[in-house]
Amino acid sequence: MKLSDYAKKAGISYRTAWRWWKQGNLTGYQLPSGTIIITDDNHSKPDLIACIYARVSSAANKDNLDRQADRLKDYAVARGYKIYKVVTEVGSGLDDNSRQLAKILVDPNYNVLIVEHKDSLARFGTNYLEILLKELDKKLEIVNQSEDNQDELMSDLIAIITSFCSRIYGLRRSKRKIEKIIAELKDNGE
């Protein structure tokens, strides 16, 4: 049946049916004329199972972490998603060793990952994570898209400076440790 007929039969708007088609939630094919033919008999909305990921950068913001998770739960319920899991994490968005995020990226039990801000997922590389999720037949939903590009640019600049500073201070600390070990080895060797 045509997509418009499917929408009427399912009791949804044509735009919603078209979005479901584009997301791959409906089975069918498209004619050369552009007409979309739906072949599945299931007229209900496919189950969207959400995994919620909330993150803050420091333990000082831990109370904000719970509020963030609650807001995301409310959002998922309002969208009609079934909530599979709520994952909270305290850690830097610059660090690429987020254990909780790594676990949920490979978890096969959900099809929508919900985060509040792009930076809640990762400071850099969220586009790559979105591509990965798409390859795994999952969708990334960022609830609060930043509209102010200047603020986003400043945040990225601050994140880069912070990253470089932490690496520089870490290198100095590492160099002092190595010098101390060498001095102790020389003292023990004589």
Side-chain angles (χ1 to χ4, degrees):
M1 80 179 72
K2 289 171 52 177
L3 186 62
S4 57
D5 296 334
Y6 172 86
K8 286 177 191 171
K9 197 169 187 179
I12 58 174
S13 70
Y14 177 81
R15 188 165 186 80
T16 299
W18 185 81
R19 190 175 67 247
W20 290 358
W21 163 258
K22 287 305 247 183
Q23 291 172 346
N25 295 329
L26 298 176
T27 306
Y29 57 94
Q30 191 167 10
L31 298 174
S33 65
T35 303
I36 297 170
I37 306 297
I38 303 301
T39 58
D40 67 358
D41 293 355
N42 186 4
H43 301 298
S44 63
K45 183 177 177 180
D47 284 341
L48 294 175
I49 302 164
C51 180
I52 294 172
Y53 179 68
R55 185 188 61 77
V56 292
S57 57
S58 68
N61 297 329
K62 191 152 175 80
D63 58 331
N64 186 30
L65 183 64
D66 296 331
R67 287 193 304 267
Q68 187 182 137
D70 288 340
R71 284 191 301 269
L72 292 173
K73 282 188 237 177
D74 292 342
Y75 172 84
V77 168
R79 297 275 299 183
Y81 299 158
K82 293 179 181 177
I83 299 175
Y84 160 65
K85 186 188 282 189
V86 177
V87 178
T88 58
E89 188 165 35
V90 176
S92 173
L94 296 172
D95 186 8
D96 62 352
N97 290 325
S98 297
R99 290 186 195 126
Q100 298 296 329
L101 179 59
K103 286 179 186 175
I104 62 174
L105 286 176
V106 297
D107 189 336
N109 298 314
Y110 69 96
N111 52 19
V112 179
L113 177 61
I114 302 175
V115 296
E116 188 168 44
H117 299 279
K118 184 172 91 168
D119 291 348
S120 297
L121 186 60
R123 185 64 78 172
F124 303 106
T126 53
N127 292 336
Y128 297 120
L129 292 173
E130 193 167 4
I131 291 168
L132 169 69
L133 288 168
K134 195 172 191 175
E135 284 298 311
L136 297 171
D137 291 328
K138 297 178 183 188
K139 183 173 89 169
L140 172 63
E141 264 190 51
I142 300 170
V143 175
N144 191 357
Q145 296 281 355
S146 175
E147 294 296 323
D148 189 355
N149 290 335
Q150 188 173 4
D151 284 347
E152 190 174 333
L153 184 61
M154 284 302 293
S155 296
D156 288 346
L157 179 61
I158 290 168
I160 291 169
I161 291 170
T162 303
S163 175
F164 285 142
C165 287
S166 66
R167 286 186 180 174
I168 288 171
Y169 293 128
L171 289 174
R172 288 182 186 164
R173 196 174 310 120
S174 171
K175 184 178 177 185
R176 286 194 300 264
K177 284 181 182 178
I178 292 171
E179 288 172 352
K180 185 178 176 183
I181 291 170
I182 292 172
E184 286 180 16
L185 288 173
K186 285 182 180 178
D187 289 343
N188 289 341
E190 291 181 6

